[in-house]
Amino acid sequence: MFIKEGIIASPGIVIAKSLVYEKIQLEVNKNKINDTEAEIVKFQNAVKHSHQQLEAIRIKAISELGEEEGAIFEAHAMVLDDPEFVEGVEAEINNNHLAADYAVKIVTDRFFDIFDQMDDPYFSARAADIKDVGSRVLQNILGIVQADLSQLEEDVIIIADDLTPSDTAQMDKKRVMGFATNIGSRTSHTAIMARSLEIPAVLGLGDITKTVKNGDLMVVNGLTGKVCVNPSDEQLQSYEKEKQKYQDYLKELEALKDLEAITLDGRKVELVGNIGEPNDVAGILKNGGVGVGLYRTEFLYMNSDVMPSEEKQFAAYRSVLEAFPNGPVIIRTLDIGGDKKLPYLPMDDELNPFLGLRAIRLCFKEVGLFKIQLRAILRASVYGQAHIMFPMISSITEVRQAKAILLDCMKELDQEQLPYDKTVKVGVMIEIPSAAIAADIIAKEVDFFSIGTNDLCQYTLAVDRMNQEVSYLYDPFNPAILRLIKQVTATSEKKDNFFTGMCGEMAGDPLAAILLLGLGLYEFSMSALSIPQIKKIIRSVTYEDAKKIADAALNMETGEEIMDFVQKSMKKLNLDI
Ligand code: PEP
Ligand code: MG
């Protein structure tokens, strides 16, 4: 028996036999060839074969997992058709007389390196796609067939170095009960896949493929990040108990799905979800969210090779609005810049991109682009309760400038006799300290605030949100952050028909829920999976108690002290998280 600890990627506890999925290493040597034509044919046949395989996997993925997973394989097929890839390989064969397998390897590696070096998660995911496609073509050139996971005899936990989209799409989902891998992070494909299949996963275990044998009994505990191999009877019993407890807890959460987010003494709040694309709406509905608190529209732009047209945007916004006939949908205007770039919009390198031409600042520079988006949102606004939200606002002047452009768009639509909701709500993200401090001034121009703690922490504490070296300073519980939040909610309480929400990660943190409630937050927007747990907490306290807890926290000196205090307060209220 032994226990190892890794990264929690998907919650839950599973006990099952292990299946070690080791891929055959693809041996490729730098062989020179004379018959370049024959080598090109070999490559082209492998590409054709790969296309056929990808189409079959795409169909299976759509029927078992949905459109979004199917789209991964469309993207793979696009790599196969990419002239830079195809011509790159053919040039290596023709010009350098390289064998097809070696040519594929070096061109794939070259592409992989370019994308892998980008910080943005979207482009890192593209790097993984390229690697996956490259090894598929290589296998087809070399005539190698990998182990088949599509038909399994019994329930298993998959043990692997890492899992690619092709691996997971082909898997026999009825039999795969969990994942444990050597590498991977919370945002890697394996993690995302495990969460969408709702199976426990622990990743980043280092050498789990070396230490576990096929058929070993294993426990993967996606709540603690521990895996236990060949547990003793006593351990097994205790894991079984823990598993049961977790299942009971899930049932309890499930039962809350259609209930309101209301405190014991009757204060109602709104629990809504953050989305990156229309498909994410399903998760919010499934978890009992009543609307969208943050639609990060930049993904619509980033997932496209050309600027998305007004029609394309209109269709996307409309579909989200129609999913929530009775709930708000907050559409954030383009937040590009910082670490996010668009391939079709040239931008100069900046010394401090997070302090540079980002979000609303870029939209003011590219007014044409901004207006296309505003027109699309306005036109979609007749299909639900659209709210327009401007990101990276630092002063009232910017709000006025943005609203003036919005008004221009409204006039254009009037002239064109295109309908839109004339009472559409307009709000801003409070994510720059100056906006939080001057919230009372900014409130005059808008209908709502949404606090973006991800950036508010970054800018208030002067901590790069992506720099591991200083991540210890990145603390939403820091008293300075709590005071800013209080200042914003206190301001908003003074204005009628106005609300303050939060769409930063803090809104979905179970430890922060009571504090935020007590600080007067009305709307909590988070990743869909967090909604049930936050609802349970809200429904288990009184607003009066939450206010007392928040007031006491506001007088404390450090983030640790505050967190410790909240934890103890929650224990007293019998809130086990
Ligand atoms: C935030 O800054 O808190 C936020 C929600 O926006 P993003 O994470 O997209 O910057
Ligand atoms: Mg932000």
Side-chain angles (χ1 to χ4, degrees):
M1 183 279 300
F2 65 88
I3 292 178
K4 282 176 88 72
E5 195 162 348
I7 298 163
I8 297 174
S10 178
I13 299 175
V14 60
I15 304 166
K17 280 193 186 159
S18 64
L19 189 153
V20 184
Y21 176 57
E22 285 214 77
K23 293 199 197 168
I24 303 167
Q25 284 305 318
L26 301 172
E27 295 257 343
V28 181
N29 299 316
K30 188 174 179 180
N31 291 328
K32 291 262 181 182
I33 45 92
N34 290 323
D35 190 351
T36 52
E37 239 169 75
E39 221 58 20
I40 298 259
V41 171
K42 216 193 259 179
F43 167 61
Q44 287 171 344
N45 283 341
V47 168
K48 211 186 286 168
H49 193 175
S50 302
H51 260 304
Q52 289 158 352
Q53 291 170 334
L54 284 173
E55 184 53 17
I57 302 174
R58 189 183 71 85
I59 292 167
K60 184 167 161 48
I62 289 178
S63 76
E64 289 181 355
L65 302 163
E67 291 287 335
E68 202 180 332
E69 284 302 318
I72 295 178
F73 300 99
E74 256 167 60
H76 283 199
M78 271 156 67
V79 176
L80 285 179
D81 290 333
D82 186 336
E84 287 201 47
F85 173 70
V86 177
E87 287 162 22
V89 173
E90 291 182 353
E92 292 295 342
I93 297 173
N94 278 328
N95 305 341
N96 301 329
H97 289 257
L98 294 179
D101 54 352
Y102 194 70
V104 168
K105 183 184 178 321
I106 57 172
V107 173
T108 311
D109 288 351
R110 196 187 299 149
F111 271 76
F112 177 82
D113 288 344
I114 295 171
F115 283 96
D116 193 43
Q117 275 156 18
M118 300 185 187
D119 277 340
D120 190 280
Y122 171 74
F123 290 112
S124 320
R126 293 288 73 75
D129 286 345
I130 287 161
K131 200 170 175 187
D132 200 353
V133 176
S135 69
R136 174 176 303 283
V137 178
L138 260 186
Q139 282 170 41
N140 286 330
I141 292 175
L142 299 169
I144 287 173
V145 181
Q146 293 285 4
D148 183 11
L149 295 177
S150 66
Q151 271 165 349
L152 301 168
E153 302 276 298
E154 56 183 342
D155 292 351
V156 291
I157 292 169
I158 302 282
I159 311 297
D161 183 46
D162 190 16
L163 292 165
T164 64
S166 307
D167 296 329
T168 48
Q170 289 176 75
M171 269 175 198
D172 183 348
K173 313 286 180 310
K174 288 193 284 308
R175 295 294 196 188
V176 175
M177 300 287 121
F179 297 147
T181 63
N182 293 341
I183 59 174
S185 66
R186 263 197 71 75
T187 52
S188 63
H189 171 77
T190 314
I192 293 166
M193 198 61 211
R195 288 199 289 272
S196 86
L197 291 173
E198 298 183 6
I199 58 173
V202 174
L203 313 182
L205 287 154
D207 58 356
I208 194 75
T209 47
K210 298 270 175 303
T211 39
V212 174
K213 286 190 298 304
N214 247 340
D216 278 347
L217 187 66
M218 277 192 72
V219 182
V220 170
N221 188 338
L223 303 175
T224 59
K226 291 193 176 131
V227 299
C228 179
V229 185
N230 293 325
S232 64
D233 287 349
E234 209 176 309
Q235 278 173 323
L236 203 56
Q237 262 179 16
S238 118
Y239 280 120
E240 293 279 9
K241 246 196 219 153
E242 214 177 323
K243 184 176 161 189
Q244 191 54 49
K245 197 170 149 204
Y246 183 66
Q247 274 163 355
D248 292 345
Y249 175 67
L250 288 185
K251 270 203 203 109
E252 203 185 322
L253 292 186
E254 169 84 32
L256 300 177
K257 185 175 167 255
D258 298 319
L259 300 181
E260 282 182 315
I262 185 168
T263 61
L264 294 172
D265 52 353
R267 172 149 169 119
K268 273 189 210 165
V269 296
E270 206 161 62
L271 301 189
V272 287
N274 291 353
I275 64 168
E277 53 177 301
N279 281 336
D280 298 341
V281 158
I284 302 181
L285 293 169
K286 186 170 165 222
N287 286 286
V290 296
V292 174
L294 170 65
Y295 180 174
R296 287 186 166 99
T297 58
E298 53 273 16
F299 289 98
L300 192 71
Y301 290 74
M302 286 157 59
N303 291 346
S304 171
D305 294 329
V306 290
M307 188 79 73
S309 64
E310 183 178 313
E311 280 320 305
K312 188 170 175 191
Q313 294 193 46
F314 165 71
Y317 305 150
R318 175 180 169 171
S319 76
V320 176
L321 283 157
E322 283 179 336
F324 295 101
N326 303 314
V329 171
I330 301 184
I331 304 176
R332 178 173 77 179
T333 60
L334 187 60
D335 182 1
I336 218 79
D339 60 325
K340 295 180 187 142
K341 293 222 171 2
L342 297 177
Y344 45 85
L345 186 75
M347 285 173 67
D348 292 338
D349 282 341
E350 296 176 291
L351 217 50
N352 287 304
F354 276 101
L355 302 182
L357 197 56
R358 182 185 167 191
I360 198 77
R361 303 167 182 189
L362 178 74
C363 287
F364 289 152
K365 185 163 178 242
E366 303 283 344
V367 178
L369 175 157
F370 192 31
K371 282 178 77 174
I372 292 174
Q373 179 169 42
L374 292 175
R375 284 176 55 101
I377 302 174
L378 284 172
R379 284 178 51 206
S381 66
V382 290
Y383 295 96
Q385 298 179 24
H387 292 49
I388 299 177
M389 177 159 74
F390 302 120
M392 280 285 283
I393 291 295
S394 67
S395 73
I396 194 168
T397 313
E398 286 168 327
V399 186
R400 289 182 177 143
Q401 196 176 342
K403 282 177 68 180
I405 300 171
L406 183 65
L407 195 63
D408 277 349
C409 295
M410 288 177 165
K411 284 184 189 151
E412 281 176 18
L413 295 179
D414 284 337
Q415 266 165 13
E416 294 163 42
Q417 298 190 332
L418 290 169
Y420 61 90
D421 175 6
K422 297 203 167 138
T423 60
V424 65
K425 298 230 180 317
V426 176
V428 292
M429 290 204 58
I430 301 288
E431 52 184 342
I432 296 181
S434 61
I437 294 164
D440 58 326
I441 304 176
I442 294 176
K444 292 180 187 159
E445 286 285 351
V446 291
D447 304 307
F448 67 93
F449 289 148
S450 184
I451 305 175
T453 44
N454 306 344
D455 278 313
L456 190 62
C457 287
Q458 155 160 280
Y459 295 131
T460 306
L461 305 171
V463 189
D464 179 343
R465 65 193 254 192
M466 314 222 274
N467 184 338
Q468 284 301 324
E469 291 289 330
V470 287
S471 61
Y472 69 98
L473 289 170
Y474 188 95
D475 178 15
F477 290 85
N478 183 301
I481 304 292
L482 293 197
R483 286 175 188 209
L484 284 180
I485 296 172
K486 177 71 203 169
Q487 193 165 338
V488 176
T489 52
T491 298
S492 87
E493 273 164 13
K494 293 191 192 123
K495 193 174 167 188
D496 289 338
N497 296 324
F498 191 98
F499 71 89
T500 292
M502 178 180 286
C503 57
E505 288 301 305
M506 189 182 194
D509 180 350
L511 252 191
I514 293 184
L515 263 185
L516 297 174
L517 177 74
L519 289 171
L521 197 75
Y522 168 69
E523 178 239 44
F524 296 61
S525 188
M526 62 200 80
S527 93
L529 279 180
S530 304
I531 293 174
Q533 195 176 14
I534 301 297
K535 192 187 277 184
K536 179 174 185 304
I537 295 171
I538 302 279
R539 291 179 59 89
S540 312
V541 285
T542 61
Y543 183 42
E544 282 313 307
D545 279 341
K547 272 200 289 197
K548 279 185 205 143
I549 292 171
D551 281 345
L554 281 171
N555 285 316
M556 293 179 181
E557 292 174 359
T558 66
E560 291 86 59
E561 200 185 334
I562 294 170
M563 239 198 289
D564 193 47
F565 168 69
V566 174
Q567 243 156 358
K568 286 195 181 121
S569 308
M570 289 182 78
K571 267 222 172 85
K572 269 198 218 148
L573 294 166
N574 276 330
L575 274 169
D576 203 6
I577 56 167

